[in-house]
Amino acid sequence: MTSTESPAVDNGVNVGALLDARAALSDAPAGAQFQWRAETEWLKGTHSRGTVKTFHGLGGEQEHISTFTFDADHPEHFAAEDQGATPVEIVLVGLGACLTGGVASVAQLRNIQLRSVKATITGEHDILGILGADPEVPNRFKSIKVHFDIDADATPDEIAAVVAQSQKRSAVYDSLTNPVAVAVDVN
Amino acid sequence: MTSTESPAVDNGVNVGALLDARAALSDAPAGAQFQWRAETEWLKGTHSRGTVKTFHGLGGEQEHISTFTFDADHPEHFAAEDQGATPVEIVLVGLGACLTGGVASVAQLRNIQLRSVKATITGEHDILGILGADPEVPNRFKSIKVHFDIDADATPDEIAAVVAQSQKRSAVYDSLTNPVAVAVDVN
């Protein structure tokens, strides 16, 4: 194809800037040490509101251009008021977003034009654990599955390779599939 | 105190219903097998939208009273448009919500009146991993800390015990601190 017949691939990801950031942070790794933050305020019952605004990275304090809020609650099936998604569903949202953002970035790097990307994330969970009904049942998900439907200007093998690379570099995927130390304290 | 001076503790959690559910599901454990779900739609660049509406549990298909949506993106610092929280921040929101809902539930069970609960969740992250700049650096959080500020009608030891019990029964805490199998496929 001539250049007029082959418009530049544009998934909306500035890969050049990401590659520049990688080079710059490789030379100055202190700037790559990030602290991500959320605040949770209890409202009533199991209903809480999470807020995301500031973070630390690139050697200093940073903030998002707006404040993001997330209501969480339990469904009416648990005698709650269903004022938000459950915390476990919110984690699935984070996983789907991480892998999807990765797919867009990797596709851009590989000059693959995406037309649509949808991910369906399902988490199997035996709630006898969190209910304290069976000490043999863990509290966590039994397993999670992410299914992508991707329409892109690429072969099935190329699309599968993009997904695999996204998975290989996903912060949330790695945080779920490997142990992360979590410390909890009060007052 | 007489009963007129001591109003019933009410954190808005229907503990009786939860205990009934525990008893009922212990007798019928098939109903305790839940599938939580999220769908992610890619919008542009690293911007995606997660949707939470249906789940499976209590032996059948269920749905929330409304559809919850969650925009995710990367900050402008990564040449993105910052149209939502980052996926890792969304995971921190889920963790804070899980532990906070647990605090309310355990406090109710123990007849402790909560006045305020705030959690600050911080996740340390070396982003050289996800940037592919250093193969020795994992993609996941290095560590996470949850700090609670709780004002309640209880001693510091009682408050600490409530937090410890919430942590002991938290689905998200357990999903982060222990490995969960995550399968990813496409088309």
Side-chain angles (χ1 to χ4, degrees):
Chain A
M1 289 194 290
T2 68
S3 61
T4 55
E5 291 169 326
S6 173
V9 165
D10 183 9
N11 297 318
V13 179
N14 188 335
V15 164
L18 288 177
L19 295 176
D20 289 348
R22 178 165 77 182
L25 293 173
S26 295
D27 291 339
Q33 307 309 309
F34 273 61
Q35 183 184 73
W36 304 104
R37 299 168 185 154
E39 298 206 348
T40 302
E41 183 182 9
W42 173 63
L43 296 176
K44 181 191 171 196
T46 49
H47 182 199
S48 69
R49 183 163 296 146
T51 305
V52 170
K53 177 64 174 172
T54 69
F55 57 97
H56 186 94
L58 307 175
E61 286 295 299
Q62 312 293 347
E63 62 180 41
H64 290 285
I65 58 174
S66 50
T67 300
F68 305 112
T69 61
F70 305 85
D71 279 32
D73 200 355
H74 286 179
E76 291 183 317
H77 310 73
F78 297 99
E81 295 186 1
D82 203 11
Q83 295 298 301
T86 62
V88 285
E89 290 166 324
I90 292 172
V91 169
L92 298 183
V93 167
L95 177 62
C98 197
L99 291 168
T100 298
V103 163
S105 301
V106 174
Q108 183 70 44
L109 187 64
R110 297 183 179 186
N111 278 309
I112 293 171
Q113 181 64 51
L114 298 173
R115 285 187 282 267
S116 71
V117 181
K118 287 192 180 179
T120 303
I121 309 99
T122 49
E124 308 298 326
H125 192 203
D126 183 345
I127 70 165
L128 290 180
I130 58 172
L131 285 171
D134 184 343
E136 300 299 311
V137 175
N139 301 308
R140 61 186 176 274
F141 289 110
K142 288 194 288 185
S143 61
I144 297 173
K145 187 167 186 290
V146 182
H147 176 72
F148 274 102
D149 283 298
I150 297 178
D151 182 15
D153 184 17
T155 68
D157 281 355
E158 287 168 337
I159 292 172
V162 166
V163 171
Q165 181 63 24
S166 171
Q167 184 179 348
K168 188 179 169 189
R169 284 278 163 251
S170 167
V172 176
Y173 174 84
D174 193 29
S175 294
L176 286 168
T177 55
N178 286 289
V180 174
V182 180
V184 182
D185 67 16
V186 56
N187 289 355
Chain B
M1 289 194 289
T2 68
S3 61
T4 54
E5 291 168 326
S6 174
V9 165
D10 183 8
N11 297 318
V13 179
N14 188 336
V15 165
L18 288 178
L19 295 176
D20 288 348
R22 177 164 77 183
L25 292 174
S26 295
D27 292 339
Q33 307 309 308
F34 273 60
Q35 182 184 75
W36 304 105
R37 300 167 186 156
E39 298 205 349
T40 302
E41 184 181 9
W42 173 63
L43 297 176
K44 181 192 171 195
T46 50
H47 182 198
S48 69
R49 183 163 297 147
T51 305
V52 170
K53 176 65 173 174
T54 70
F55 56 97
H56 186 95
L58 306 174
E61 286 294 300
Q62 312 293 347
E63 62 180 41
H64 290 284
I65 57 174
S66 50
T67 300
F68 305 111
T69 61
F70 304 85
D71 279 31
D73 201 354
H74 286 179
E76 291 184 317
H77 310 72
F78 297 99
E81 295 186 1
D82 204 10
Q83 295 297 301
T86 62
V88 285
E89 290 166 325
I90 291 173
V91 170
L92 298 183
V93 167
L95 177 62
C98 197
L99 291 167
T100 299
V103 163
S105 301
V106 174
Q108 184 69 45
L109 187 65
R110 297 183 179 186
N111 279 308
I112 293 171
Q113 181 64 51
L114 298 172
R115 285 186 284 266
S116 71
V117 180
K118 286 192 180 180
T120 303
I121 309 98
T122 49
E124 308 298 327
H125 192 204
D126 183 345
I127 69 166
L128 290 181
I130 57 173
L131 286 171
D134 184 344
E136 300 299 310
V137 175
N139 302 308
R140 61 186 177 274
F141 288 110
K142 289 195 288 187
S143 62
I144 297 173
K145 188 168 186 289
V146 182
H147 175 72
F148 274 103
D149 283 299
I150 297 179
D151 182 17
D153 184 16
T155 68
D157 282 355
E158 287 168 336
I159 292 172
V162 166
V163 171
Q165 182 62 25
S166 170
Q167 184 178 349
K168 187 180 169 189
R169 284 279 163 252
S170 167
V172 177
Y173 173 85
D174 193 30
S175 295
L176 286 168
T177 54
N178 287 289
V180 174
V182 180
V184 182
D185 68 16
V186 57
N187 290 351

